[in-house]
Amino acid sequence: MKIFAKDKDGHFIREINGIKLPFPLTEFMKLRKLGYIFSALLMAVSLFFIVSKGFNWGLDFTGGVVFDTHFSQSADLEKIRGKLHENGIESPIVQTTGSVQDVMIRLPATDNDSGIGDRVKGMLQEIDSGIKIRSVEFVGPNVGEELAQGAVYATLATLAMMLVYVGSRFEWRLGFGGIASLAHDVIITLGVFSALQIEIDLTFVAAILSVVGYSINDSIVVFDRVRENFRKIRRLDTIDIIDVSLTQTLSRTIMTSATTLIVVIALFFFGGPSIHNFSLALLVGIGFGTYSSIFIAIAIAYDVGLRREHMIPPKVDKEIDELP
């Protein structure tokens, strides 16, 4: 199997019909079946974990107790988490809300929620005697269930709108391939969180929607170049046009993904616990989104019948009647 295409003289192809390539032509489409097998295995494993282990739903979905507090000085979030852990409170969410003195604390629901307010206030006063508890709110599981349904509906609505957009702008086969690649990225990201039992909260939903937007943008760049090359290059088959287009956009894809992943990795290691899950979801989703835009989206569009005539509008001869 050739990774780089050569001409009849054995030289790497760098130019086709006047179209200059950034580096030798890469025959991506010959690797698409391997990509299908790899993706099918990943999705099967992801679905297995999703069905067998389920998800570790966070407080946003299961309910709990929310404290709105104001410290007399800058709050030490790590110290607050440590104090809560020392007193047997597991998985607290502690984050600032605006200023370094305003802190929101979310605790999981327990059977002894009636006295939780006084308990937590006593713990926090050991850290800062001047702390003020502005409010204590109890969020029931019904609210969490509504949030979960809303998250699912938001994701499905986003996928549907993406399908309509890509199908109307390009061609329904490209729309089908684009949505298939989005589903691929989302399922694998969900599978990773299910396998590792990482807590899922509303920031994770925001990350999934960000992954969807990033992935479809990457695919649209490829689709646009394919359409452009169908009009420029007349003597090549569809599969060769796709390889040329992927080769031309590969440097852009690598640079964009690399710079994005650098930022996401920095957030993952240095962003703090409050955005840890968000950055992890982006890390997994963007990584596989880059892969799927090359080996899934356009490959599926080709295998369901994408051809040159689908991307070039037919010429219509108009007869103009002369007025007497």
Side-chain angles (χ1 to χ4, degrees), residues 98-109:
S99 72
V100 294
Q101 293 176 273
D102 297 322
V103 178
M104 182 179 67
I105 302 172
R106 291 185 288 175
L107 309 178

Side-chain angles (χ1 to χ4, degrees), residues 212-224 249 252-254 256-257 286 289-294 297:
V212 168
Y214 183 92
S215 181
I216 197 64
N217 175 71
D218 221 14
S219 298
I220 285 174
V221 170
V222 176
F223 296 164
D224 203 38
T249 57
R252 177 263 177 202
T253 299
I254 291 175
T256 303
S257 299
I286 290 176
T290 302
Y291 155 80
S292 66
S293 65
I294 297 174

Side-chain angles (χ1 to χ4, degrees), residues 218-287:
D218 221 14
S219 298
I220 285 174
V221 170
V222 176
F223 296 164
D224 203 38
R225 184 56 60 89
V226 169
R227 181 173 61 181
E228 179 183 344
N229 284 335
F230 270 134
R231 297 172 179 175
K232 284 184 177 181
I233 308 174
R234 299 285 182 173
R235 298 179 182 177
L236 295 182
D237 295 332
T238 299
I239 192 170
D240 296 322
I241 294 291
I242 293 175
D243 283 336
V244 170
S245 302
L246 289 172
T247 302
Q248 289 177 319
T249 57
L250 185 61
S251 58
R252 177 263 177 202
T253 299
I254 291 175
M255 292 301 297
T256 303
S257 299
T259 52
T260 305
L261 288 175
I262 289 173
V263 175
V264 173
I265 291 172
L267 289 175
F268 179 79
F269 287 105
F270 307 111
S274 59
I275 61 171
H276 187 269
N277 294 350
F278 175 82
S279 55
L280 177 60
L282 285 180
L283 188 63
V284 175
I286 290 176

Side-chain angles (χ1 to χ4, degrees), residues 13 15 19 32 69 72 86 109 132 163 176 182 194 198 218 271:
I13 298 175
E15 184 173 341
I19 303 296
R32 71 185 189 281
T69 65
S72 61
E86 289 176 7
K132 295 180 181 179
L163 176 61
F176 179 77
L182 293 183
S194 177
I198 300 173
D218 221 14

Side-chain angles (χ1 to χ4, degrees), residues 49-57 91 190-200 277 280:
F49 282 117
I50 291 172
V51 173
S52 61
K53 300 184 70 172
F55 297 109
N56 179 18
W57 298 106
S91 303
L190 290 173
V192 170
F193 272 66
S194 177
L196 301 178
Q197 285 295 289
I198 300 173
E199 188 176 271
I200 291 180
N277 294 350
L280 177 60

Side-chain angles (χ1 to χ4, degrees), residues 40-202:
L41 290 175
L42 284 178
M43 292 181 67
V45 172
S46 298
L47 290 173
F48 170 77
F49 282 117
I50 291 172
V51 173
S52 61
K53 300 184 70 172
F55 297 109
N56 179 18
W57 298 106
L59 299 182
D60 292 324
F61 301 106
T62 60
V65 187
V66 180
F67 293 84
D68 183 11
T69 65
H70 179 77
F71 284 73
S72 61
Q73 54 189 350
S74 297
D76 187 338
L77 302 185
E78 289 300 326
K79 191 173 182 180
I80 297 171
R81 293 189 187 98
K83 176 62 68 174
L84 295 173
H85 280 301
E86 289 176 7
N87 289 271
I89 297 178
E90 300 295 333
S91 303
I93 297 178
V94 182
Q95 57 192 111
T96 56
T97 57
S99 72
V100 294
Q101 293 176 273
D102 297 322
V103 178
M104 182 179 67
I105 302 172
R106 291 185 288 175
L107 309 178
T110 63
D111 296 333
N112 299 319
D113 284 344
S114 57
I116 191 69
D118 294 333
R119 284 181 55 207
V120 171
K121 184 177 181 180
M123 300 175 202
L124 297 178
Q125 284 179 338
E126 295 179 11
I127 300 174
D128 184 352
S129 58
I131 188 175
K132 295 180 181 179
I133 307 293
R134 291 172 174 171
S135 65
V136 180
E137 299 179 357
F138 295 87
V139 180
N142 291 333
V143 176
E145 184 177 353
E146 292 177 2
L147 288 174
Q149 291 178 351
V152 172
Y153 293 153
T155 305
L156 292 177
T158 302
L159 292 175
M161 288 186 288
M162 292 292 184
L163 176 61
V164 172
Y165 169 71
V166 177
S168 60
R169 178 178 174 182
F170 295 99
E171 211 269 340
W172 72 264
R173 294 168 182 84
L174 291 175
F176 179 77
I179 294 303
S181 70
L182 293 183
H184 165 274
D185 302 339
V186 170
I187 290 174
I188 291 178
T189 306
L190 290 173
V192 170
F193 272 66
S194 177
L196 301 178
Q197 285 295 289
I198 300 173
E199 188 176 271
I200 291 180
D201 52 18
L202 289 179

Side-chain angles (χ1 to χ4, degrees), residues 36 173-174 177 223 296-307:
Y36 290 161
R173 294 168 182 84
L174 291 175
F223 296 164
I296 302 298
I298 191 64
I300 288 180
Y302 172 75
D303 284 327
V304 297
L306 180 68
R307 297 296 180 266

